[in-house]
């Protein structure tokens, strides 16, 4: 939604424009000649007029956003708009008539000196003060938007902002009046120079001291304790949660996969540091599973008892393995500090679970996730359906990831950054399993054949229609399975528009390893909300939900664990203060997402799949859309539903892992479940 950006841009623009207007207005009375007085008056009015237009743009954006969801604008209606509208009215009421008086004594291009009588009109508080108040309101609006992302908005916060505004405007009023008086008495607005300077110095000092104090206290307060339970019975900073959750009764240790029995498939993943050479010749320091980049592709059959032994050879910070999108029992979920301790060098850990959902998944370390996934500790996990595949078929996982190499960032398909070729017989059914292991939505172009999106996040689409000229935007952490009947000519996969070439970061599938597919061109984006046809679902318009939660995503300047940064918030807060959502086993839960910030937030709930009910107020019209990683774009709202059928304590976080690392991480807690693990600098666990 473009309006989120329009709204913010107009807020900043208004601060600039009203600042210029205020500056111009305060310079009119210095005008030495009638001509100067005229031109300065004119530019003041012109800038005020421009400001008025910008204000109208902002107001329009606010109205449009309010119609979408009031969470986008409650801060605008309660704080920004009044701070802007009241002085704007004062300008019309006071400054415009004052401008007439100044105009009467001015003359176009005249060199005649301004009479001091006339200059007095331009020093009148009623001329300058409303414009200064307008600028103050715009400046505070910008600051409010940069620093306050609270939701729900507390009345106390609104009052605090108003108090600051009132105080600033009052001081400006006093200043304007005393200038006017001095001017009236002495013929100059400037008082004693030394006094003026010392007063200015005092103000600057007070502001600097207040900012420093705020900075120190804020940094201190944001520090995660040395040791805390992530799913503790109260938040780190003392916000108690649902009392029912405070009596631990379910032994966390019981929430495991089958601990005995012979596994159908067993794998070993060895985490180690490696230097890899990409096909382009670029060398890269990587952390890998089994020396491979991405890690080995693990394929199992639906229903298999899977056993994976994780061995950490030399990744100093420790590692874990999280089964992204697989709804494993809680203790197998691989989150350091929540479901296990990080596996330190020369230690091991065994995961066991039954892979009962066929589909495309992936695995990655959930210790220092943002760093470790970027360094390479991830791979594809495929659960093949029970049913035998058609006789002629090809099945290929394609990972999208961005590497930091010595030459900067390079985007890859399948871990390479050069053209790769694969073969498939004409007439065979090709399934490409796209996995986005990066932090941003990834565009995918398929050329040379019509195709279908057969599955999203491991769940089949009902009745997928054939697509041509469609770009797929895959959510970070998400998966799309694309199928097509192999034609006689080459099919191409690319992450950008343009021709296919040897140097391109592209995949070409052809019957005989030759030929180039048609160029990728700019085309509309695939929309899962209206794809396929409806089918019976667990949740519908008549569902009665046992719990409803609202999650408002935003960004602001603030502290995260002692560091000042651009933090990403859920309901105004950052981890570990971000909300915990409590449920009871068997609950039907509805969650509403609204993204007020400027970035995409691919929300990932562990241990569950959610059914998308609506986007921006419009119900999903096509096939049931079941996701585990849902990209919530700027200005977007979504309603999703899920059944609380997998007891435990689950992360619910943004899969732009850099966002999770600056606070965008919450939890879903089943009543009565507790975790014996802890995070903090005194432990080995750093989940994000
Ligand atoms: Cu793919 Cu919490 O992670
Ligand atoms: Cu995010």
């Amino acid at each position: 939604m473009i309006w989120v950006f329009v709204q913010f841009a107009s807020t900043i623009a208004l601060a600039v424009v009203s600042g210029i207007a205020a500056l111009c207005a305060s310079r009119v009375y210095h005008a030495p000649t009638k001509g100067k007085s005229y031109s300065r008056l004119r530019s003041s009015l012109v800038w005020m007029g421009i400001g008025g237009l910008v204000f109208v743009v902002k107001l329009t954006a606010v109205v449009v956003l309010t119609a979408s969801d009031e969470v986008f604008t409650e801060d605008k209606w309660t704080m920004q708009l009044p701070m802007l509208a009241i002085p704007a009215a004062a300008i019309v009421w006071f400054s415009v008539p004052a401008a007439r008086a100044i105009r009467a004594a001015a003359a176009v291009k005249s060199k005649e000196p301004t009479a001091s009588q006339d200059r007095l009109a331009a020093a009148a508080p009623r001329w300058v003060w409303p414009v200064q108040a307008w600028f103050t309101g715009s400046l505070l609006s910008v600051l409010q938007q940069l620093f306050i992302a609270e939701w729900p908005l507390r009345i106390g916060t609104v009052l605090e902002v108003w108090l600051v505004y009132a105080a600033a405007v009052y001081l400006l009023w006093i200043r304007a009046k005393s200038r006017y008086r001095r001017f009236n008495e002495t013929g100059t607005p400037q008082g004693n120079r030394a006094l003026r300077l010392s007063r200015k110095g005092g103000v600057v000092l007070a502001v600097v001291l207040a900012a420093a104090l705020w900075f120190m206290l804020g940094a201190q307060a944001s520090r995660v304790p040395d040791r805390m339970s992530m799913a503790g019975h109260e938040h780190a900073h003392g916000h108690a949660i649902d009392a029912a959750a405070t009596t631990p009764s379910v032994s966390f240790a019981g929430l495991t996969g089958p601990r005995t029995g012979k596994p159908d498939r067993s794998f070993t993943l060895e985490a180690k540091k490696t230097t890899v050479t990409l096909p382009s010749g670029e060398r890269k320091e990587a952390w890998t599973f089994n020396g491979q980049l991405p890690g080995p592709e693990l394929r199992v059959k639906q229903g298999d008892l899977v056993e994976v032994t994780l061995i950490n050879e030399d990744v100093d910070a420790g590692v874990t393995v999280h089964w992204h999108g697989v709804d494993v029992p809680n203790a197998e979920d691989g989150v350091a500090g929540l479901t296990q301790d990080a596996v330190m060098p020369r230690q091991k850990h065994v995961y066991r679970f039954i892979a009962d959902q066929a589909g495309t998944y992936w695995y990655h370390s959930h210790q220092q996730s943002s760093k470790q996934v970027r360094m390479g500790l991830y791979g594809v996990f495929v659960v093949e359906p029970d049913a035998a595949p058609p006789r002629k078929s090809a099945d290929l996982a394609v990972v999208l990831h961005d590497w930091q190499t010595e030459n900067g960032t390079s985007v890859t398909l399948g871990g390479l950054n050069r053209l790769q070729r694969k073969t498939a017989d004409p007439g065979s059914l090709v399934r490409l399993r796209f996995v986005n292991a990066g932090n941003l939505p990834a565009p995918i172009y398929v050329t040379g054949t019509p195709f279908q999106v057969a599955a999203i996040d491991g769940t089949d689409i009902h009745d997928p229609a054939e697509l041509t000229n469609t770009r797929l935007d895959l959510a970070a952490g998400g998966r799309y399975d694309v199928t097509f009947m192999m034609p006689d000519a080459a099919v191409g996969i690319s992450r950008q528009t343009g021709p296919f070439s040897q140097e391109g970061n592209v995949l070409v599938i052809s019957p005989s390893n030759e030929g180039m597919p048609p160029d990728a061109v700019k085309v509309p984006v695939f929309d899962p909300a209206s794809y396929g046809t409806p089918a019976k679902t667990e949740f519908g318009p008549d569902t009665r939900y046992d719990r409803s939660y609202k999650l408002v995503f935003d960004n602001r300047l603030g502290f995260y664990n002692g560091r000042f940064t651009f933090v990403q918030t859920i309901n105004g807060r950052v981890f570990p203060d971000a909300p915990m959502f409590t449920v009871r086993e068997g609950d039907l839960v509805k969650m509403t997402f609204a993204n007020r910030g400027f970035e995409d937030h691919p929300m990932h709930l562990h241990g569950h799949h959610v059914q998308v009910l609506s986007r921006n107020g419009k119900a999903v019209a096509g096939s049931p859309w079941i996701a585990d990683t849902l990209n919530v774009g700027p200005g977007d709202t979504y309603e999703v539903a899920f059944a609380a059928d997998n007891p435990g304590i689950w992360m619910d976080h943004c899969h732009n892992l850099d966002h999770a690392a600056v606070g965008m991480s919450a939890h879903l807690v089943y009543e009565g479940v507790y975790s014996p693990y802890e995070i903090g600098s005194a432990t080995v666990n750093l989940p994000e």
Side-chain angles (χ1 to χ4, degrees):
M1 262 259 258
I2 185 80
W3 290 103
V4 175
F5 297 97
V6 174
Q7 198 291 126
F8 189 54
S10 58
T11 308
I12 293 191
L14 190 55
V16 174
V17 171
S18 64
I20 297 174
L23 206 67
C24 289
S26 69
R27 281 170 49 85
V28 177
Y29 71 68
H30 293 299
T33 65
K34 290 189 166 188
K36 273 262 169 341
S37 162
Y38 177 83
S39 63
R40 286 183 187 178
L41 176 66
R42 198 187 46 190
S43 49
S44 311
L45 292 173
V46 167
W47 283 107
M48 286 181 209
I50 296 175
L53 292 178
V54 177
F55 181 62
V56 169
V57 172
K58 178 180 164 86
L59 195 60
T60 310
V62 169
V63 168
V64 173
L65 286 169
T66 307
S68 168
D69 193 315
E70 75 275 10
V71 302
F72 291 115
T73 51
E74 50 184 26
D75 55 338
K76 281 87 193 173
W77 289 111
T78 53
M79 297 181 278
Q80 302 184 9
L81 292 179
M83 291 193 300
L84 297 171
I86 294 172
I91 289 175
V92 175
W93 201 258
F94 298 113
S95 304
V96 170
R100 272 199 208 105
I102 301 168
R103 170 70 186 96
V108 187
K109 293 211 173 112
S110 158
K111 291 249 157 48
E112 204 181 315
T114 333
S116 74
Q117 214 58 9
D118 300 336
R119 294 177 60 183
L120 206 53
R126 54 184 310 184
W127 164 243
V128 284
W129 178 67
V131 196
Q132 290 172 340
W134 204 32
F135 172 58
T136 308
S138 324
L139 201 61
L140 279 177
S141 296
V142 173
L143 291 177
Q144 182 258 299
Q145 198 142 349
L146 286 178
F147 285 94
I148 301 175
E150 195 172 82
W151 188 85
L153 190 56
R154 284 178 314 118
I155 181 81
T157 305
V158 176
L159 290 179
E160 277 167 31
V161 170
W162 271 100
L163 205 68
V164 172
Y165 179 61
V169 168
Y170 177 71
L171 288 178
L172 285 170
W173 170 251
I174 299 285
R175 182 165 165 268
K177 269 190 52 167
S178 72
R179 284 195 166 206
Y180 182 70
R181 199 173 353 94
R182 226 171 8 236
F183 197 35
N184 203 3
E185 286 161 4
T186 65
T188 158
Q190 250 86 72
N192 179 297
R193 197 177 138 82
L195 192 66
R196 206 153 36 88
L197 282 182
S198 68
R199 212 182 280 148
K200 260 194 192 143
V203 170
V204 170
L205 196 68
V207 169
V208 167
L209 280 180
L213 192 68
W214 172 83
F215 200 88
M216 266 162 46
L217 293 178
Q220 194 53 39
S222 77
R223 243 174 250 291
V224 176
D226 295 347
R227 188 176 269 292
M228 66 167 283
S229 166
M230 251 208 272
H233 303 124
E234 54 181 40
H235 281 287
H237 303 136
H239 312 281
I241 59 157
D242 200 330
T246 58
T247 13
S249 56
V250 180
S251 155
F252 179 86
L255 303 170
T256 63
R259 284 283 110 187
T260 57
K262 190 175 170 304
D264 300 298
R265 299 299 310 272
S266 37
F267 304 97
T268 301
L269 293 175
E270 261 179 335
K272 54 181 158 221
K273 296 181 183 163
T274 329
T275 305
V276 294
T277 308
L278 295 174
S280 59
E282 290 171 293
R283 285 164 67 75
K284 175 183 158 51
E285 184 68 42
W287 298 350
T288 62
F289 286 121
N290 301 1
Q292 286 166 250
L293 195 93
E297 185 176 313
L298 309 184
R299 275 188 186 253
V300 303
K301 277 261 182 282
Q302 190 172 10
D304 279 355
L305 170 57
V306 183
E307 180 182 282
V308 180
T309 306
L310 166 66
I311 300 172
N312 181 3
E313 222 154 77
D314 58 1
V315 177
D316 305 322
V319 294
T320 67
V321 179
H322 165 60
W323 308 95
H324 184 119
V326 186
D327 298 337
V328 297
N330 199 199
E332 314 294 341
D333 200 41
V335 178
L338 184 59
T339 68
Q340 66 173 97
D341 281 326
V343 179
M344 302 310 282
R346 289 169 303 284
Q347 290 182 347
K348 68 172 199 169
H349 185 94
V350 178
Y351 300 92
R352 284 169 69 101
F353 56 90
I354 292 171
D356 42 20
Q357 318 146 272
T360 306
Y361 307 98
W362 62 302
Y363 61 89
H364 61 80
S365 179
H366 220 301
Q367 163 82 341
Q368 289 188 324
S369 319
S370 65
K371 178 157 187 205
Q372 297 201 356
V373 173
R374 187 163 52 234
M375 290 302 283
L377 286 170
Y378 69 89
V380 177
F381 183 68
V382 175
V383 182
E384 294 174 346
D386 250 343
R391 221 165 40 81
K392 277 170 73 177
S393 65
D395 186 317
L396 187 68
V398 184
V399 185
L400 311 166
H401 189 87
D402 302 336
W403 291 124
Q404 310 293 332
T405 66
E406 48 201 8
N407 300 335
T409 305
S410 107
V411 286
T412 70
L413 266 174
L416 305 175
N417 58 353
R418 275 294 176 274
L419 177 131
Q420 301 171 71
R421 282 187 178 277
K422 302 275 174 189
T423 55
D425 292 334
S428 56
L429 181 70
V430 181
R431 178 179 282 258
L432 299 178
R433 300 170 182 272
F434 290 104
V435 177
N436 184 357
N439 281 334
L440 300 174
I444 303 165
Y445 297 87
V446 179
T447 79
T449 178
F451 61 94
Q452 297 169 319
V453 175
I456 296 178
D457 288 359
T459 304
D460 287 347
I461 292 292
H462 185 245
D463 233 355
E466 201 146 86
L467 297 168
T468 47
N469 294 330
T470 306
R471 179 182 103 199
L472 303 174
D473 274 357
L474 183 52
R479 286 91 56 215
Y480 279 157
D481 286 17
V482 164
T483 54
F484 55 87
M485 205 53 87
M486 187 63 204
D488 295 331
V491 170
I493 308 297
S494 176
R495 290 187 63 173
Q496 60 275 315
T497 54
F500 284 76
S501 75
Q502 203 55 39
E503 287 68 44
N505 165 35
V506 293
L507 171 65
V508 174
I509 306 166
S510 56
S512 55
N513 248 333
E514 53 200 26
M516 279 294 191
D519 297 358
V521 294
K522 206 166 175 297
V523 285
V525 180
F526 170 68
D527 180 10
S530 57
Y531 183 65
T533 60
K536 216 177 129 3
T537 51
E538 196 171 357
F539 302 97
D542 305 323
T543 307
R544 287 200 39 154
Y545 294 96
D546 303 292
R547 320 245 176 174
S548 299
Y549 288 112
K550 189 152 192 165
L551 281 72
V552 176
F553 310 128
D554 209 339
N555 25 31
R556 62 169 162 83
L557 291 168
F559 297 94
Y560 184 71
N561 200 11
R563 192 159 54 90
F564 187 70
T565 179
F566 201 54
V567 296
Q568 306 285 345
T569 62
I570 300 177
N571 295 357
R573 296 179 178 276
V574 293
F575 178 86
D577 277 341
M580 278 200 218
F581 306 103
T582 41
V583 293
R584 194 174 283 151
E585 190 172 358
D587 279 351
L588 301 184
V589 187
K590 183 163 131 178
M591 280 191 174
T592 308
F593 301 145
N595 182 359
R596 313 199 276 210
F598 309 124
E599 292 175 74
D600 288 293
H601 299 304
M603 292 308 294
H604 173 47
L605 172 61
H606 287 211
H608 304 74
H609 278 72
V610 302
Q611 180 188 327
V612 182
L613 305 172
S614 72
R615 182 183 58 206
N616 299 333
K618 254 184 83 188
V620 168
S623 159
W625 177 8
I626 314 286
D628 56 58
T629 317
L630 181 67
N631 191 64
V632 185
D636 279 345
T637 56
Y638 279 89
E639 285 176 311
V640 305
F642 65 92
D645 56 5
N646 196 4
I649 304 169
W650 303 97
M651 302 209 78
D652 186 3
H653 65 95
C654 177
H655 223 282
N656 179 332
L657 295 173
D658 291 338
H659 290 180
V662 287
M664 202 162 224
S665 187
H667 298 92
L668 179 75
V669 184
Y670 280 64
E671 282 182 1
V673 180
Y674 74 100
S675 162
Y677 303 102
E678 291 182 311
I679 59 158
S681 55
T683 73
V684 295
N685 300 319
L686 309 150
E688 307 300 349

